[in-house]
């Protein structure tokens, strides 16, 4: 760790989480930096997200929210930084993490059925050649039931609406039976009924003492849905309980004044 | 019947196995929007095969594969260089490199004396299926006669091994292959080595292309990668069934193509047979055309609703 970098980090008011914080966190990020080109997409982001909570990652378009999630999961390479899941290396904690990518990131014309997508969530159990047994199918079906999609099990995935696609992705994550759920924009472009169905499932996860982390874009629902927020715009702006962190000042800092003050006035804000 | 055994059995089998070896990875290349990688490979391997022949003096599987792999490596380096130095878009850089390397291979072939073996420009372009005959065949008994079997063209056991290995790999790695083709990000989070899977798919395609070189030449092989799986996609909405259909279509193309090439012109009163490889590609194209017009799942259902 070089001296100038420390200085830079200090200027942002950021501080890498301590060993105790890392051990206690569901997801702990230390100085994560990701770059696709010359400019960093994510710069030296630290966070220690509490266990058994509902966390929103918030920031403007291009702020690096999805990239941060992907870097934490090892989908995109990090330039620097380290990730711990429940105090462990992510590679050792794969069984405890479920990931729901952005719906638009896959080709829904792919020749497969809804139930097959959910069964993909059992990959770590099934491995290369283990047979899909009746018990596996029943579990997959139960996950579809939880998101209200049981009747669609045999459908080709291309026949689903956007909201239904999102529910199927959530069902696949449920099949993973993880402790930490990372969702990338789960409410983007879905109908109201789907949004309700998804948030209900996420709340049951929290009630079951799981941790849910969502990249989230709808500021109007943050206070209702989430109890912890991480505000980023390439760098971390703020992190903490929604009640004390989701403030007008922090939002202005995150959106760089691009958020009209009238918009902010309409939001349910803390303090 | 002896005439069939001697003249047609080996070419038909080689054609069928080549078509299957290419169609299997072709299914995944198409779904990954990488169909043209098959085309690229088929162009790039030609100079590699020629150089391997010049270096060793024989046409054998291993040197050909090594040569093809080396050529592929050279192609990758050239593409990167042209992209960076020339500031040209990747597609154009690839087009230039593939065509140039293929042309280099053709020139190299013309300049060297390869008359002793089945390696000349015409064969490189169109294969030499018709010449892969089985002299030792004398009646059906030859199929169980070790002495006669030893006289089979060596191309047959070679492509048989390649097709078997590709089929086995496809079966064993089915789940990670399907998962990383559908959703690469998710696949990575459940521990699928997505990068390795992607490279292995391209490598398997390259091996199939080199092995099919004997049968259909290095240009027409692209039809084997694309047409059967593309037609198969229109028959079903399940990947398992799609791969099954692609094997059926590959087999039908190879058999009908060979038969039409050998006997078709005679039916129309012409004197000479036409290129079997050309006819195989034409038949696989015709199957795709029919599938486009009449297959049950030709409407791309996903496209109708728009993706958010």
């Amino acid at each position: 760790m070089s001296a100038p970098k420390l200085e830079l980090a200090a200027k942002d008011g950021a501080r890498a989480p301590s060993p105790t914080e890392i051990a206690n966190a569901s997801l702990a990020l230390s100085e994560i930096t990701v770059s696709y080109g010359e400019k960093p997409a994510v710069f030296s982001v630290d966070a220690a997200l509490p266990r058994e909570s509902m966390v929103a990652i918030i920031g403007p378009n291009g702020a690096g929210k999805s990239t941060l999630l992907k870097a934490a999961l090892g989908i995109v390479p990090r330039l620097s930084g380290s990730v711990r899941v429940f105090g462990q290396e992510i590679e050792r904690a794969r069984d405890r993490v479920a990931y729901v990518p952005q719906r638009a990131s896959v080709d829904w014309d792919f020749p497969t059925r809804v139930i097959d997508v959910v069964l993909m969530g059992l990959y770590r159990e099934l491995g290369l050649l283990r047979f899909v047994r009746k018990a596996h199918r029943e579990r997959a079906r139960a996950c579809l039931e939880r998101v209200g999609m049981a009747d669609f099990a045999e459908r080709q995935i291309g026949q689903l609406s956007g909201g239904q696609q999102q529910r199927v992705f959530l069902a696949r994550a449920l099949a993973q039976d993880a402790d930490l759920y990372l969702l990338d924009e789960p409410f983007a472009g879905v109908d109201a009924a789907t949004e309700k169905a998804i948030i209900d499932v996420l709340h049951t996860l929290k009630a079951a003492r799981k941790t849910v982390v969502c990249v989230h874009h709808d500021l109007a629902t943050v206070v209702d849905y989430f109890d912890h927020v991480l505000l980023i715009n390439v760098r971390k702006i703020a992190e903490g309980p929604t009640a004390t962190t989701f403030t007008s000042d922090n939002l202005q800092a995150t959106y760089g004044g691009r958020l009209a003050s009238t918009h902010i006035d309409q939001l349910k804000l803390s303090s | 019947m002896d005439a069939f055994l001697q003249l047609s059995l080996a070419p038909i089998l080689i054609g069928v196995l080549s078509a299957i070896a290419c169609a299997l990875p072709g299914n995944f290349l198409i779904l990954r929007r990488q169909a043209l990688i098959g085309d690229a490979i088929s162009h790039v391997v030609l100079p590699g095969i020629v150089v391997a022949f010049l270096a060793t003096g024989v046409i054998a599987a291993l040197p050909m594969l090594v040569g093809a792999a080396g050529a592929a490596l050279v192609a990758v380096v050239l593409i990167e260089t042209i992209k960076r130095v020339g500031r040209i878009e990747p597609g154009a850089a690839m087009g230039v490199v593939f065509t140039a390397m293929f042309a280099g291979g053709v020139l190299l072939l013309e300049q060297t004396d390869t008359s002793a073996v089945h390696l000349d420009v015409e064969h490189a372009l169109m294969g030499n299926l018709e010449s892969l005959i089985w002299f030792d065949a004398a009646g059906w008994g030859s199929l169980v006669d070790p002495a006669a079997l030893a006289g089979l063209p060596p191309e047959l056991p070679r492509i048989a091994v390649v097709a078997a290995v590709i089929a086995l790999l496809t079966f064993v790695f089915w789940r990670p292959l399907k998962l990383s083709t559908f959703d690469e990000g998710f696949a990575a989070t459940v521990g699928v080595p997505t990068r390795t899977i992607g490279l292995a798919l391209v490598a398997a395609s390259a091996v199939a292309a080199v092995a099919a070189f004997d049968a259909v030449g290095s240009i027409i092989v692209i039809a084997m990668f694309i047409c059967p799986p593309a037609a198969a996609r229109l028959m079903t909405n399940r990947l398992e069934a799609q791969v099954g259909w692609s094997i059926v279509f590959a087999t039908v193309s190879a058999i009908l193509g060979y038969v039409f090439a050998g006997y078709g012109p005679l039916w129309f009163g012409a004197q000479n047979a036409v290129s079997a490889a050309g006819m195989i590609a034409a038949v696989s194209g015709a199957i795709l055309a029919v599938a486009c017009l009449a297959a049950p799942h030709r409407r791309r259902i996903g496209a109708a609703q728009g993706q958010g």
Side-chain angles (χ1 to χ4, degrees), chain A residues 73 75 94 99 101 103-113 116-117 120-121 123-124 126-132 156-161 165 169 172 176, chain B residues 31 33 171-176 178-179 181-193 195 233 236-240 242 299-303 305 307-308:
Chain A
L73 286 159
I75 299 172
R94 292 260 180 238
Y99 169 57
R103 187 163 53 81
S105 69
V106 306
D107 173 17
W108 290 91
D109 224 10
F110 193 87
T112 198
R113 296 170 310 172
D116 297 319
V117 173
M120 289 176 187
Y123 175 76
R124 292 188 66 82
L126 292 169
L128 288 185
L129 292 171
R130 217 153 293 142
F131 276 115
V132 177
Q156 206 274 331
I157 55 170
Q159 296 172 306
L160 305 178
S161 72
Q165 292 170 355
F169 260 13
R172 179 176 68 178
Q176 290 180 270
Chain B
L31 289 171
R33 310 251 187 278
F171 177 74
V172 171
F173 293 102
W174 179 265
R175 271 188 197 134
K178 179 179 176 182
L179 188 45
T181 299
F182 171 60
D183 190 345
E184 194 166 17
F186 177 83
T189 65
V190 292
V192 174
R195 192 176 283 256
R233 174 66 189 90
T236 170
N237 273 329
R238 294 192 63 188
L239 186 57
E240 292 77 5
Q242 177 188 321
R299 261 185 49 231
R300 309 306 296 269
I301 34 193
Q305 349 183 358
Q307 305 296 315

Side-chain angles (χ1 to χ4, degrees), chain A:
Chain A
M1 217 186 311
S2 60
K5 197 172 173 188
L6 264 180
E7 212 175 79
L8 208 55
K11 224 185 286 173
D12 293 340
R15 181 183 59 83
S18 72
T20 331
E21 285 170 322
I22 289 174
N24 290 332
S26 55
L27 179 65
L29 308 173
S30 307
E31 299 184 346
I32 303 285
T33 297
V34 185
S35 176
Y36 291 125
E38 284 164 21
K39 276 176 112 181
V42 170
F43 186 80
S44 196
V45 168
D46 300 308
L49 306 177
R51 299 183 180 205
E52 298 171 30
S53 61
M54 296 270 296
V55 183
I57 301 177
I58 296 164
N61 289 333
K65 306 183 293 287
S66 296
T67 303
L68 180 66
L69 213 55
K70 287 181 190 162
L73 286 159
I75 299 172
V76 300
R78 306 186 288 270
L79 277 185
S80 68
S82 68
V83 179
R84 289 287 186 282
V85 175
F86 301 108
Q88 285 177 303
E89 294 271 356
I90 177 95
E91 284 75 20
R92 293 168 168 275
R94 292 260 180 238
D95 288 325
R96 302 184 70 183
V97 183
Y99 169 57
V100 179
Q102 278 185 25
R103 187 163 53 81
S105 69
V106 306
D107 173 17
W108 290 91
D109 224 10
F110 193 87
T112 198
R113 296 170 310 172
V114 166
I115 188 84
D116 297 319
V117 173
V118 181
L119 283 167
M120 289 176 187
L122 300 178
Y123 175 76
R124 292 188 66 82
E125 272 175 62
L126 292 169
L128 288 185
L129 292 171
R130 217 153 293 142
F131 276 115
V132 177
R133 300 195 177 280
K134 197 162 168 240
H136 295 125
R137 285 186 192 287
E138 277 167 4
R139 269 170 58 198
R141 224 167 253 279
C143 294
L144 280 174
E145 195 90 50
R146 286 175 71 184
V147 299
M149 290 289 292
D151 294 341
F152 293 79
E154 306 298 324
R155 292 274 188 99
Q156 206 274 331
I157 55 170
Q159 296 172 306
L160 305 178
S161 72
Q164 290 167 337
Q165 292 170 355
Q166 192 68 58
R167 293 187 200 202
V168 171
F169 260 13
L170 181 58
R172 179 176 68 178
L174 293 175
Q176 290 180 270
D177 195 20
D179 295 317
L180 172 63
Y181 291 79
L182 303 175
L183 299 86
D184 198 346
E185 302 261 15
F187 304 110
V190 304
D191 53 286
T194 296
E195 176 148 349
K196 173 86 169 60
I198 292 175
I199 197 66
D200 286 349
V201 170
L202 296 184
H203 279 138
T204 60
L205 287 175
K206 196 203 160 196
R209 310 191 60 193
K210 314 282 190 185
T211 306
V212 177
V213 179
C214 294
V215 169
H216 192 63
H217 68 289
D218 182 9
L219 297 177
T221 51
V222 171
V223 172
D224 289 336
Y225 290 174
F226 300 98
D227 48 35
H228 196 94
V229 292
L230 169 61
L231 301 170
I232 67 166
N233 189 347
V234 182
R235 294 152 193 266
K236 180 171 93 173
I237 308 298
E239 184 217 327
T242 311
T244 54
T245 313
F246 192 63
T247 61
S248 175
D249 285 350
N250 280 339
L251 280 176
Q252 284 295 6
T254 308
Y255 286 80
R258 270 187 285 156
L259 213 55
S261 53
T262 50
H263 187 166
I264 292 189
D265 290 342
Q266 287 162 6
L267 293 175
K268 285 191 206 171
L269 287 172
S270 28
S271 69

Side-chain angles (χ1 to χ4, degrees), chain B residues 143-212:
Chain B
L143 287 173
V144 290
D145 174 9
L149 286 175
L152 274 172
E155 286 83 355
L156 181 55
R158 184 194 304 164
I159 188 68
V161 168
V162 168
V165 168
I166 288 181
L168 185 70
L169 288 175
T170 309
F171 177 74
V172 171
F173 293 102
W174 179 265
R175 271 188 197 134
L177 199 49
K178 179 179 176 182
L179 188 45
S180 60
T181 299
F182 171 60
D183 190 345
E184 194 166 17
F186 177 83
T189 65
V190 292
V192 174
T194 51
R195 192 176 283 256
T196 310
I197 293 273
L199 285 175
L201 177 62
V202 172
S205 308
V207 171
V210 172

Side-chain angles (χ1 to χ4, degrees), chain B residues 19-65:
Chain B
I20 291 175
C22 293
L24 282 175
N27 279 290
F28 295 94
L29 291 179
I30 285 186
L31 289 171
R32 288 167 172 247
R33 310 251 187 278
Q34 293 179 331
L36 285 176
I37 280 187
D39 192 30
I41 288 168
S42 63
H43 280 71
V44 164
V45 295
L46 181 64
I49 289 174
V50 178
V51 169
F53 167 72
L54 290 177
T56 61
V58 290
I59 297 227
L62 196 64
M64 275 166 72
L65 278 178

